[in-house]
Amino acid sequence: MEHRPDADLEELCPVCGDKVSGYHYGLLTCESCKGFFKRTVQNNKKYICAEKQQCTVDKSLRKRCPFCRFQKCLLVGMRLEAVRVDRMRGGRNKFGPMYKRDRALKQQRKTLMQTSGFRRELSSPLCSSSYQRDLAFTGDLQPDPFLHSIPLPTAQNDQTGHQCPSMCSLLPFNPLSATQYQFTSFSNWTIKLEHTNNCVSPLGSAAGIYMNSDELYSNTPQGPRIPQLVMEFLRCDPDELQLRNKTIARLKQEQTGWNKHRNPSTFSLMCLMADQTLFSIVEWARTSIFFKQLTVNDQMRLLHSCWSELLLLDIISRQVLYGREGSLLLVTGQEVELSDVASHAGPTLASLIQRGQELVDKLSMLKVDRQEFACIKFLILFDPDVKELEDHRFIEGVQEQVEETLLEYTLCTSSQYFGRFAHLLLCLSDLRALSSLTEDYLYCRYQSADVPCSSLLIEMLHAKRS
DNA sequence: CTAGCCTTGACC
DNA sequence: GGTCAAGGCTAG
């Protein structure tokens, strides 16, 4: 891809939307906002807003309210300290390397977006309808002995009884809606959602997610410098052993009702495991950075939109990280031979398993690690294309931030392999296509009354179709 | 006061 | 010597 040095200038000024003339005081802005910011800081100007400090700042209205204009300059990340106290002209300041890095990142992202077709509208060409119709739905994974023959492992730290609440009740009412926050400090991270006039930020993104530049990376003495946000994602990640124990406890509880009649089908067991995994996914999201700042409505919309992608990623990442070739590692810790699974599945399910396995192979070849899976989960969750979001801008900002973080991480850990990020995005496209097919399949099974009732899985299946 | 253009000078 | 983000200048 050819590099055009003036490609930056195609962007719009984050303050007023005018044409960008270059990097000024920390980020790409237009000439007039550069001048305005300089005059304001150099002359220590104090403005007053005649309205409610919420004036629109765009190219035509930027002169109307300097107070709101300056607030917006700070909000988008213009740096006070880039204005020189001594007024010395020319030369370079400490932000030089930052501008350089930002240029490289922007260029790389642009290239990757163009080449990988990452955006959802460009991906998933096989989604649902046409492809699904070609695969005749033929029903069941036969109730076969291979799963039942493996004793359920013993749960450690046994969990107490299970309830099956709906997702809404799992997401507690959030007393402060996102837009009501001024600042929400979280670890080293600050998510800024309203105007404020003192922030520290290198290259603030549109959502206003700010970090202290000294705290961008973890300080591991050996090995690659891991971006701090990746460490935060890892911290949010659920513990595999806990999930295993919860699932086993749930299955054992369900088991008490089985013996009276006959064993449930393998498919029903799989649904129960998926259902329990969904609970853990909701719990993960609910307690995760950024997500817990959203309104409950937005939380529900995001989860209803991406549950199957997260569910599949959970299964697939387990195979990549802990699995053995030729076998399927279940969330319970049980291992079943893939050939057994495939031979008992109908053609639709067999084809889904086949495609899933191909994705596992791809990701295994890439040696995708826990850090990358953790980032990908956030990429999936914060999907700005979801309809009717209340805080679309914030969600879009998180998405951009996570993309940048994942790109940085891949460059840190495998600089010799430049296309890693693009490969990961391509795998994500595959995952999206596959999850859509899987949803269709599950919905068919649900309509045939094959999916066990009163489960989160069913709530999710309904959500997108209602 | 605004904003477009000019000058400067450290860094590559 | 070229680049480009600082500060400076000035008509409107």
Side-chain angles (χ1 to χ4, degrees), chain A residues 126 128-137 348 437 440-441 444:
Chain A
L126 295 176
S128 56
S129 53
S130 62
Y131 184 68
Q132 177 65 21
R133 270 194 290 276
D134 293 342
L135 295 167
F137 170 64
T348 311
L437 293 172
D440 287 345
Y441 172 76
C444 282

Side-chain angles (χ1 to χ4, degrees), chain A residues 44-103:
Chain A
N44 194 24
K45 288 198 177 299
K46 304 286 178 222
Y47 307 115
I48 293 171
C49 177
E51 299 290 325
K52 295 177 183 169
Q53 306 190 355
Q54 295 172 352
C55 305
T56 304
V57 182
D58 61 23
K59 192 180 172 183
S60 59
L61 297 172
R62 66 191 176 198
K63 280 195 244 185
R64 191 168 291 178
C65 180
F67 177 90
C68 289
R69 188 182 188 183
F70 189 59
Q71 292 300 301
K72 196 165 177 193
C73 287
L74 294 167
L75 177 72
V76 300
M78 291 182 83
R79 309 286 289 259
L80 295 165
E81 64 270 39
V83 179
R84 294 172 186 164
V85 179
D86 60 6
R87 299 200 165 196
M88 196 192 70
R89 302 172 77 184
R92 285 277 182 275
N93 62 20
K94 63 174 177 170
F95 297 117
M98 191 170 90
Y99 296 145
K100 202 174 163 185
R101 190 170 140 272
D102 187 59
R103 276 208 173 89

Side-chain angles (χ1 to χ4, degrees), chain A residues 158-195:
Chain A
D158 223 15
Q159 303 291 315
T160 48
H162 275 275
Q163 319 105 316
C164 294
S166 78
M167 188 171 77
C168 192
S169 64
L170 293 170
L171 299 170
F173 174 68
N174 192 345
L176 289 169
S177 79
T179 46
Q180 286 171 309
Y181 277 100
Q182 282 284 325
F183 272 95
T184 306
S185 285
F186 190 86
S187 182
N188 293 327
W189 295 80
T190 305
I191 305 169
K192 196 151 54 52
L193 295 145
E194 271 301 334
H195 294 249

Side-chain angles (χ1 to χ4, degrees), chain A residues 420-433:
Chain A
R420 184 174 183 81
F421 180 66
H423 271 90
L424 292 178
L425 295 189
L426 283 173
C427 289
L428 187 49
S429 287
D430 291 349
L431 181 79
R432 285 185 162 141

Side-chain angles (χ1 to χ4, degrees), chain A residues 34-49:
Chain A
K34 165 199 154 189
F36 170 78
F37 189 78
K38 179 186 69 176
R39 286 193 301 277
T40 302
V41 178
Q42 279 182 341
N43 303 325
N44 194 24
K45 288 198 177 299
K46 304 286 178 222
Y47 307 115
I48 293 171
C49 177

